[in-house]
Amino acid sequence: MNFEELALCEEVLEGLRAMNFKEATPVQEKAIPIILQKKDVIACAQTGTGKTAAFILPLLHNLQTEGQNTDGIKAIIMAPTRELAQQIDMQMEGFSYFLPFSSVAVYGGNDSQAWDVQKRGLQKGADVVIATPGRLLSHINLYKIDFSQVQYFILDEADRMLDMGFYDDIMLIAKQLPKDRQTIMFSATMPPKIRKLAKSILNTPEEIHIAVSRPPESIIQTAFICYENQKSKLVKHLFSTQEPNKVILFSSSKLKVKETTKELRRMGFSVGEMHSDLEQSQREHVMHEFKNNRINILVATDIVSRGIDIDDITLVINYDVPYEVEDYVHRIGRTARAGDEGMSITFVSVEEQYRFKQIEDFLGKDIYKIPIPEELGEAPQYEPEKHRMKRSFPGKGKKGNFGKKPGNNKRPNRNNK
């Protein structure tokens, strides 16, 4: 569908034309008409589907057509990380070029001058506030902010925010807002915790589901079936004859990222690490070194990985199998960008075999298993059904949601990734 068919106001369409946006993606085609009707929405859509424009465009349209000239915050957009907040802020700036609305991005990891800019935006009533939950709550706790005119509350990557432990923060922020508002929630997965949040803050929402897209055929997908203690040796073997270049190695926890980084450095590799314990200046330094080939292997968590946007990644290694199919697709999608080919290798331990089989089921094909080199010892047999862990996987969810992670009955720590 063409954007011209979506009943958006001329000022929004002008911005789209200037940015050469013509065809709407499926999530935009489904979400925009519903948001224009000012109904609450819960949308299941992964990164890369165009979901940011799916809520920014109708938000700008509604603000423009309401014709209210009063000062004050009219919309709050929540995002889990500084990197995503920056991306949303950039898109807001582009799409609103022909519109009179102001916005302020509120996130941590910066200096006192940035804090002052954020404070001025919040107190003087920027039209749109784009914020991470923790940073916005810090401002709320220190001085009074007028939220009485907020009409739109948007949560992007809601599942990530809950994984990071922001449930209570989101609820505290929601209580500050008028009850008579439009609430929009985007999430890559729809587990019970998201349903609980939606029930708490949304009012009879319309539901949208966009199927998870499969990785492009330009990515050669492979795997090693191995024991856990063989994984670091496999990395050493892979680069024993050829030096790594622009390789990202993903792990699901920051503890494992730290341990793996130390292990690879002991082996003599040039390695950088990316996780939530780093200050923003440290993250930016690591990314700069990686982009300029002074770091050959970047070890990262899934959460931080969403801010990685580099076109010439040659190889993605899944050091462990992700819990969600969306994470697998997102991880390996870091390679084979801009029309290039790429390769992914997943290390599958005994305990991870059933989880990996679920990914294969989603892809509709068997991923090629590379034989373990003889010098690394005997490898386990690939018997996923035998290693099925009912405690970890109470049932397959929809749209690639494989069920809860072990220990998901507890409130997650926001610093666990």
Side-chain angles (χ1 to χ4, degrees), residues 131-371:
T132 54
R135 185 66 160 199
L136 182 56
L137 205 57
S138 295
H139 283 276
I140 290 170
N141 290 335
L142 287 174
Y143 55 88
K144 183 173 176 59
I145 303 171
D146 183 8
F147 292 116
S148 63
Q149 296 186 56
V150 172
Q151 303 163 56
Y152 306 99
F153 186 38
I154 301 169
L155 292 88
D156 193 13
E157 297 195 2
D159 52 347
R160 291 285 171 188
M161 285 193 273
L162 298 196
D163 284 343
M164 295 171 75
F166 284 130
Y167 180 88
D168 290 343
D169 291 355
I170 291 169
M171 294 306 298
L172 285 170
I173 292 166
K175 287 177 183 177
Q176 303 271 334
L177 310 180
K179 290 185 178 179
D180 185 19
R181 64 172 191 265
Q182 182 181 20
T183 304
I184 299 159
M185 182 188 296
F186 279 80
S187 180
T189 57
M190 209 61 66
K193 59 188 177 183
I194 289 293
R195 294 283 181 187
K196 178 185 174 185
L197 177 63
K199 190 175 181 181
S200 302
I201 66 173
L202 273 70
N203 181 29
T204 57
E206 296 276 339
E207 291 199 23
I208 297 169
H209 288 274
I210 303 297
V212 179
S213 59
R214 287 170 171 76
E217 292 299 321
S218 55
I219 301 175
I220 301 170
Q221 301 177 58
T222 62
F224 281 106
I225 308 302
C226 60
Y227 292 106
E228 187 66 33
N229 62 8
Q230 292 175 317
K231 290 185 176 182
S232 62
K233 298 172 186 176
L234 276 169
V235 177
K236 187 175 183 179
H237 170 79
L238 287 171
F239 303 117
S240 59
T241 58
Q242 185 176 357
E243 187 177 357
N245 177 42
K246 290 283 177 68
V247 175
I248 299 184
L249 187 152
F250 283 117
S251 182
S252 297
S253 75
K254 69 178 182 182
L255 177 61
K256 203 163 187 178
V257 165
K258 293 176 182 179
E259 291 174 346
T260 304
T261 299
K262 288 178 182 176
E263 181 84 15
L264 297 182
R265 281 176 180 159
R266 281 196 294 267
M267 293 179 182
F269 293 114
S270 173
V271 185
E273 59 186 280
M274 287 281 279
H275 50 76
S276 60
D277 277 356
L278 298 180
E279 296 292 334
Q280 184 60 29
S281 59
Q282 293 174 301
R283 292 191 203 178
E284 289 172 355
H285 174 72
V286 170
M287 288 305 300
H288 182 267
E289 296 294 283
F290 185 56
K291 286 180 179 178
N292 289 282
N293 298 310
R294 287 188 285 271
I295 288 174
N296 295 329
I297 302 176
L298 182 65
V299 186
T301 59
D302 286 305
I303 288 176
V304 177
S305 76
R306 292 184 180 246
I308 297 172
D309 189 17
I310 302 172
D311 286 338
D312 54 348
I313 303 298
T314 60
L315 172 65
V316 170
I317 298 174
N318 292 310
Y319 200 79
D320 48 27
V321 179
Y323 282 93
E324 306 285 354
V325 69
E326 289 91 347
D327 288 333
Y328 177 83
V329 173
H330 180 76
R331 287 181 183 186
I332 72 170
R334 300 303 90 196
T335 188
R337 294 163 74 93
D340 292 334
E341 292 186 344
M343 183 172 183
S344 71
I345 303 174
T346 303
F347 297 166
V348 186
S349 69
V350 173
E351 295 79 10
E352 297 170 316
Q353 287 189 13
Y354 182 68
R355 203 151 77 227
F356 187 68
K357 182 63 168 61
Q358 290 178 298
I359 291 172
E360 290 186 307
D361 289 346
F362 167 78
L363 297 174
K365 66 178 182 180
D366 292 337
I367 293 173
Y368 175 68
K369 283 71 172 185
I370 306 171

Side-chain angles (χ1 to χ4, degrees), residues 8-13 15-16 19 32 35-36 52-67 74-75 77 88-103 127-128 130 152 154 182 184:
L8 294 165
C9 66
E10 183 58 29
E11 292 85 352
V12 173
L13 291 174
L16 286 165
M19 296 173 71
I32 288 174
I35 298 173
L36 289 177
T52 305
F55 59 77
I56 287 181
L57 296 175
L59 169 64
L60 291 172
H61 170 94
N62 287 343
L63 291 174
Q64 177 69 4
T65 55
E66 281 157 5
K74 300 177 181 66
I77 302 173
I88 296 170
D89 189 36
M90 288 173 64
Q91 291 206 40
M92 173 67 70
E93 186 177 343
F95 290 132
S96 64
Y97 187 81
F98 297 98
L99 293 158
F101 304 116
S102 60
S103 64
D127 296 296
V128 180
I130 302 154
Y152 306 99
I154 301 169
Q182 182 181 20
I184 299 159

Side-chain angles (χ1 to χ4, degrees), residues 369-388:
K369 283 71 172 185
I370 306 171
I372 289 281
E374 289 184 9
E375 62 267 28
L376 298 188
E378 188 177 346
Q381 294 294 312
Y382 185 52
E383 301 173 303
E385 287 298 329
K386 182 178 178 181
H387 300 293
R388 179 171 184 168

